[in-house]
Each structure stands twice: as structure tokens, then as C-alpha cells.
Amino acid sequence: MNKLINKSFLILLPFYPLLAWAYHFVTEKPIDLLVNFLLLPVAFSLLLKGIPKVPNYLVFFIIFTFYHLASSFIFDTIPSDINKIYFILSDVNLFACTLFLIIENIKFDEKFITQMSRNVLVIVILTLIVSVIQIKEPMFMFKEDLLKGDELEFWGEEMRNTAFYSWLSTNALGISFPVFIAILLNFYDRKALYLSAIILSGIVVAFLTKSRYVMVSTIIAFSQLFFGRKSSLVSKVSLLLVFGVSIFLIIYVAKEAGFDINKIISERILEEESDMSSAKARI
């Protein structure tokens, strides 16, 4: 079973947002429903084999998930038109608990880590390509249902570039993409060509989201190149040059494509018209 789970996770973990996009061609039901349905038996089988490894963070997360689900039944907050089993299996907290429980009780060897890092690189490059395409075609691989109802209030009147991550949630890219970048920077830290592509992808995708928290998270991920390891002054200067060249290429390509970078900087990052009201409200 360990080998089967490893192979499944090599696809499921890095490509989950892309799978969610592909899944919508099959059914309108959330992909979490299907994955929960498949993973729960695996989690139960691990529990039946003996005492599972359950770290402290997972204990508290499981308690919270039970509280969350129980309170939904006790206070009758489940929409009347939704089946209760469907509601439970679609719950993202239950999905996360199940996933963490399996991960904590499965062994991952060096071969798995290597292949996983390669798959993460593929999804990062695909994210870059789709993000660039969405400059001209905003609806490309975008979940248009987010433009209706309450989800629109999250963005206000402005469209955000989310690549294909919108099929999971409005924040899926911001939560996962900086983590992908951090993983790749650690794995490919000695390979100049790969490192340059990762840095370029991180800068472009983070900037195109027009979300400050994504940009800040990606900057924090990049900081490990300078503070998380011992490296020579020449190496650090070389990295700064890579960042400089990447930014120059971004500005040049954006100008050729008619993409207004200054508008994003003034309206989204600096919020010059509102005196940073949105940022101050969050603080």
C-alpha cells in the first residue's frame, strides 16, 4: 500500500489545482468530495493496523474538525438542499485531517522527494504559463462562478490573476504557490538554469496575482537564498543579478504586451488613491 500511496501522492499533491480544473468537465461537485471518499478508507486502514502516529498539531486539528462538523449539525447550519453525507465528505477540514494522517504514517524515500520536486517544478512552470495567458485572456482556465454572488465581494471590482487555482478557492494560489517556490529553491539551489527559471516564475506569478500577501510570502520564500544557507559573496551577488535581470525582462515583456505595471504598483501595492486603507484595515 505504501508504494501505491506514494505514486498517488506524486500526482495528487502538486497537481491538485490542475486536477480540480480537469474534474469540473466531469461533474460540478467539488473534487474534495471524491478525494475524501477515496482517502478515508486508506486512513481507516492505517488506524486498524495499530497505533498511528498522530503528532500534537494533528490532534488539535482533528478536535477542531470534529467540533466544526458537530456544531454544523447541532446548530443546524447545513443548507437544507445539501445532503448531510455530501456535506461531510466535501468538508475541506476533514480532507486536510485525512491527508495529514496518511502523510504522517507513510514513509517517503529520497526517490519520492526527488520526483515530487520535479513535479512541483512542472506545476510552477504551468502556473507561470497560464498566468501570462490570463493577462490577455482573463477567463482562460478561470472558474467563472467566482464572479457571482459573495465571491465577487472578495475581489471588489477588480479581477485577480489566479491561474487554474481558482477551481479550489480564491486563496489557493496565495497559500500554495509560495510554498512550491520555497521547496524548489531548496532542491535546485545548485542548478543555475533551474534556479533562474524558478526565480522568474515566482516573481511573475506573485506580481500578476495583484495580492500583497502573495508577493510578501514569495519574498519570504526567496529570502532563504540569502539567509537560510552559507554562501559566498560572489554567489549572493550572482543571485541579485538574476533577480535584477528577471525584473528587467518582466518590465520589458509587460511593456511590449501593453500590461500596465505602474498601475498595479500605484493602485494595488501602494494604494495611492486610498492612502493604503485596505492594508491598514487588515493590520
Side-chain angles (χ1 to χ4, degrees), residues 23-88:
Y23 186 68
H24 94 276
F25 291 106
V26 179
T27 176
E28 293 183 358
K29 291 180 173 58
I31 191 173
D32 292 347
L33 175 68
L34 173 65
V35 178
N36 258 335
F37 183 78
L38 296 175
L39 290 183
L40 280 171
V42 178
F44 281 123
S45 69
L46 291 173
L47 292 173
L48 294 174
K49 280 186 175 181
I51 300 176
K53 180 183 177 183
V54 185
N56 291 335
Y57 82 88
L58 189 51
V59 172
F60 287 105
F61 192 21
I62 291 173
I63 293 172
F64 169 78
T65 300
F66 273 109
Y67 164 77
H68 157 68
L69 291 173
S71 63
S72 298
F73 283 89
I74 294 171
F75 297 105
D76 196 25
T77 57
I78 302 174
S80 57
D81 60 337
I82 293 181
N83 181 279
K84 290 180 172 57
I85 300 299
Y86 173 90
F87 174 80
I88 293 173

Side-chain angles (χ1 to χ4, degrees), residues 36-206:
N36 258 335
F37 183 78
L38 296 175
L39 290 183
L40 280 171
V42 178
F44 281 123
S45 69
L46 291 173
L47 292 173
L48 294 174
K49 280 186 175 181
I51 300 176
K53 180 183 177 183
V54 185
N56 291 335
Y57 82 88
L58 189 51
V59 172
F60 287 105
F61 192 21
I62 291 173
I63 293 172
F64 169 78
T65 300
F66 273 109
Y67 164 77
H68 157 68
L69 291 173
S71 63
S72 298
F73 283 89
I74 294 171
F75 297 105
D76 196 25
T77 57
I78 302 174
S80 57
D81 60 337
I82 293 181
N83 181 279
K84 290 180 172 57
I85 300 299
Y86 173 90
F87 174 80
I88 293 173
L89 291 178
S90 300
D91 186 73
V92 66
N93 293 308
L94 178 63
F95 168 64
C97 279
T98 306
L99 194 63
F100 287 144
L101 181 63
I102 295 172
I103 289 173
E104 292 291 350
N105 289 275
I106 293 294
K107 294 181 179 179
F108 300 104
D109 56 21
E110 187 175 344
K111 182 180 178 182
F112 174 88
I113 300 300
T114 300
Q115 187 58 53
M116 176 63 76
S117 299
R118 290 171 179 167
N119 289 355
V120 170
L121 178 62
V122 172
I123 198 67
V124 164
I125 297 301
L126 289 175
T127 303
L128 171 65
I129 293 170
V130 175
S131 295
V132 172
I133 292 174
Q134 286 182 342
I135 295 174
K136 291 294 186 181
E137 300 291 338
M139 296 296 106
F140 179 70
M141 297 184 75
F142 178 78
K143 187 177 181 180
E144 296 185 30
D145 289 349
L146 295 179
L147 300 178
K148 306 172 185 177
D150 295 338
E151 296 289 359
L152 182 59
E153 296 178 8
F154 175 83
W155 286 321
E157 298 179 354
E158 183 180 37
M159 280 287 295
R160 303 287 180 87
N161 191 316
T162 59
F164 37 76
Y165 294 74
S166 59
W167 293 95
L168 291 178
S169 74
T170 51
N171 287 316
L173 187 147
I175 294 171
S176 58
F177 188 76
V179 177
F180 288 161
I181 293 298
I183 292 171
L184 294 178
L185 291 176
N186 181 64
F187 187 79
Y188 291 105
D189 63 337
R190 303 298 177 186
K191 299 179 180 179
L193 181 61
Y194 286 103
L195 194 59
S196 299
I198 293 163
I199 290 173
L200 180 64
S201 300
I203 294 173
V204 173
V205 173

Side-chain angles (χ1 to χ4, degrees), residues 8-28:
S8 301
F9 276 19
L10 284 173
I11 302 299
L12 180 66
L13 295 183
F15 297 111
Y16 197 58
L18 193 59
L19 292 173
W21 167 76
Y23 186 68
H24 94 276
F25 291 106
V26 179
T27 176
E28 293 183 358

